[in-house]
């Protein structure tokens, strides 16, 4: 009889401990309530979910970016994450990881959230515009090579003109005129550096893009000042942003005519960075 009682006590104890272990190992269920991306910038990915027990939680996006959701034990969880950098793809994948009070971790299934097509298109459009601006800026910064003839001597020169103010008519692809600022450096010449400001009148043509007539005031900022009339021919477009041109310019002082010199140059014209009127 005593042996039977001891056996029953052992079975009861084993059952009790097995029930406690079963409770500790109980799977925590994850219920996703909502997940969406805001339609306006900044683009926020919002996900809310419940757990069947109090847990801490975190989110993993595309198996590489991890974000804390709930740092304290809770059953209600919500995350708001800026994902503006992820619009180069059509969808994002995410998983939820939760940890219960016994430090057991549970991983959810993988969820896929499609990024609205209009947001993807806007991203590509803005990214494309940024690329165009960057590439155009680099190309626009390239100086123009010049051939300089002065006192029967020839020199090589580099110059860069920036159209400051452009004046448009609605029916024109080019401004009818612009005010430009230009810096030139003539290698191996006695007077090396010149700053110019002038007005250029543009006439659009059929066989080529345009002819431009202008006049500038130039100075070396050391008392060497003069006037430089010029003519330019816009020959063809590059990527509908730049126009390749050739230019002839005559530079002279009103009093010291022996200092006159000629310039022949080629370069790229664009009013992309000018203030337009």
């Amino acid at each position: 009889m005593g042996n039977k009682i001891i056996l029953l006590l052992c079975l009861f104890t084993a059952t009790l401990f097995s029930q406690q272990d079963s409770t500790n190992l109980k799977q925590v269920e994850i219920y996703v309530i909502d997940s969406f991306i805001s339609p306006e910038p900044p683009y926020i990915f919002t996900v809310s979910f419940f757990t069947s027990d109090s847990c801490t939680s975190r989110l993993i996006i595309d198996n590489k970016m991890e974000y804390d959701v709930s740092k304290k034990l809770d059953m209600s969880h919500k995350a708001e994450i800026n994902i503006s950098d992820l619009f180069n793809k059509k969808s994002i994948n995410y998983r939820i990881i939760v940890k219960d009070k016994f430090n057991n971790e549970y991983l959810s299934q993988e969820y896929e959230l499609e990024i609205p097509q209009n947001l993807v298109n806007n991203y590509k459009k803005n990214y494309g515009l940024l690329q165009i601006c960057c590439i155009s800026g680099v190309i626009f910064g390239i100086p123009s090579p010049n051939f300089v003839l002065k006192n029967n001597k020839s020199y090589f020169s580099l110059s860069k003109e920036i159209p400051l103010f452009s004046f448009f008519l609605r029916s024109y692809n080019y401004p009818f005129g612009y005010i430009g600022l230009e810096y030139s450096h003539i290698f191996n010449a006695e007077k090396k550096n010149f700053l110019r400001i002038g007005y250029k009148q543009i006439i659009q043509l059929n066989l080529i893009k345009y002819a431009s007539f202008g006049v500038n005031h130039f100075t070396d900022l050391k008392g060497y000042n003069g006037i430089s009339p010029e003519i330019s021919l816009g020959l063809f477009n590059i990527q509908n942003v730049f126009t390749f041109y050739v230019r002839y310019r005559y530079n002279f002082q009103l009093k010291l005519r022996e200092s006159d010199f000629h310039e022949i140059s080629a370069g790229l014209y664009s009013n992309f960075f000018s203030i337009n009127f």
Side-chain angles (χ1 to χ4, degrees), residues 11 39 62 75 81 103 125 134 137 146-147 153 166 174-176 192 221 232-233 264 275:
L11 290 175
D62 287 344
M75 297 179 66
I81 301 168
N103 286 328
K125 181 179 178 180
C134 292
N146 301 331
F147 173 78
K153 294 183 179 180
S166 299
Y174 293 91
F176 65 82
K192 292 181 170 61
L221 301 178
S232 300
L233 299 177
I264 299 175
I275 300 174

Side-chain angles (χ1 to χ4, degrees), residues 57-69 81 94-97 99 105 107:
S57 59
R58 63 188 191 272
L59 204 66
I60 295 181
I61 298 179
D62 287 344
N63 294 319
K64 55 185 178 181
M65 293 168 288
E66 186 170 313
Y67 304 90
D68 288 326
V69 180
I81 301 168
Y94 68 94
R95 290 178 181 268
I96 300 168
I97 299 178
K99 183 185 291 186
E105 281 195 346
L107 180 65

Side-chain angles (χ1 to χ4, degrees), residues 14-218:
T15 303
L16 180 61
F17 277 103
S18 66
Q19 287 176 346
Q20 289 176 342
D21 291 342
S22 175
T23 301
N24 289 346
L25 298 175
K26 181 180 179 182
Q27 175 75 33
V28 174
E29 300 293 337
I30 301 171
Y31 306 98
V32 174
I33 306 302
D34 202 5
S35 63
F36 62 91
I37 298 172
S38 61
E40 299 295 335
Y43 301 109
I44 303 298
F45 166 46
T46 300
V47 57
S48 57
F49 56 93
F50 288 101
T51 51
S52 59
D53 198 359
S54 295
C55 298
T56 60
S57 59
R58 63 188 191 272
L59 204 66
I60 295 181
I61 298 179
D62 287 344
N63 294 319
K64 55 185 178 181
M65 293 168 288
E66 186 170 313
Y67 304 90
D68 288 326
V69 180
S70 299
K71 294 184 178 181
K72 296 182 180 180
L73 294 172
D74 203 343
M75 297 179 66
S76 178
H77 311 264
K78 184 176 182 180
E80 294 182 345
I81 301 168
N82 190 324
I83 58 168
S84 299
D85 295 335
L86 300 180
F87 288 154
N88 58 337
K89 49 196 308 183
K90 295 181 179 180
S91 63
I92 61 173
N93 299 314
Y94 68 94
R95 290 178 181 268
I96 300 168
I97 299 178
V98 298
K99 183 185 291 186
D100 65 16
K101 56 189 174 184
F102 302 107
N103 286 328
N104 297 314
E105 281 195 346
Y106 304 95
L107 180 65
S108 75
Q109 68 182 64
E110 186 174 65
Y111 300 95
E112 182 177 11
L113 179 63
E114 185 175 347
I115 297 176
Q117 191 62 36
N118 64 311
L119 301 186
V120 177
N121 292 338
N122 287 339
Y123 171 84
K124 290 180 178 179
K125 181 179 178 180
N126 294 333
Y127 185 73
L129 180 60
L130 177 62
Q131 281 187 317
I132 291 174
C133 289
C134 292
I135 294 173
S136 298
V138 171
I139 296 176
F140 186 72
I142 298 175
S144 302
N146 301 331
F147 173 78
V148 178
L149 182 62
K150 181 178 182 180
N151 297 329
N152 295 322
K153 294 183 179 180
S154 59
Y155 304 90
F156 177 72
S157 169
L158 290 175
S159 66
K160 187 63 213 172
E161 181 186 56
I162 300 176
L164 298 178
F165 306 101
S166 299
F167 309 97
F168 278 85
L169 295 175
R170 290 185 179 179
S171 60
Y172 278 53
N173 295 323
Y174 293 91
F176 65 82
Y178 69 91
I179 297 174
L181 182 68
E182 182 177 349
Y183 168 76
S184 298
H185 178 80
I186 304 175
F187 295 89
N188 301 321
E190 182 180 355
K191 303 288 186 181
K192 292 181 170 61
N193 301 299
F194 292 95
L195 189 66
R196 289 183 176 85
I197 187 167
Y199 175 78
K200 322 295 171 70
Q201 185 76 35
I202 293 179
I203 301 173
Q204 294 192 61
L205 303 174
N206 292 327
L207 296 179
I208 60 176
K209 295 302 179 180
Y210 67 78
S212 172
F213 304 90
V215 62
N216 309 274
H217 169 72
F218 70 86

Side-chain angles (χ1 to χ4, degrees), residues 132 136 139 173-174 209 236-244 268-272:
I132 291 174
S136 298
I139 296 176
N173 295 323
Y174 293 91
K209 295 302 179 180
F236 56 86
N237 287 341
I238 300 176
Q239 296 294 323
N240 292 322
V241 177
F242 301 99
T243 301
F244 179 82
L268 298 175
Y269 163 77
S270 175
N271 65 300
F272 192 77

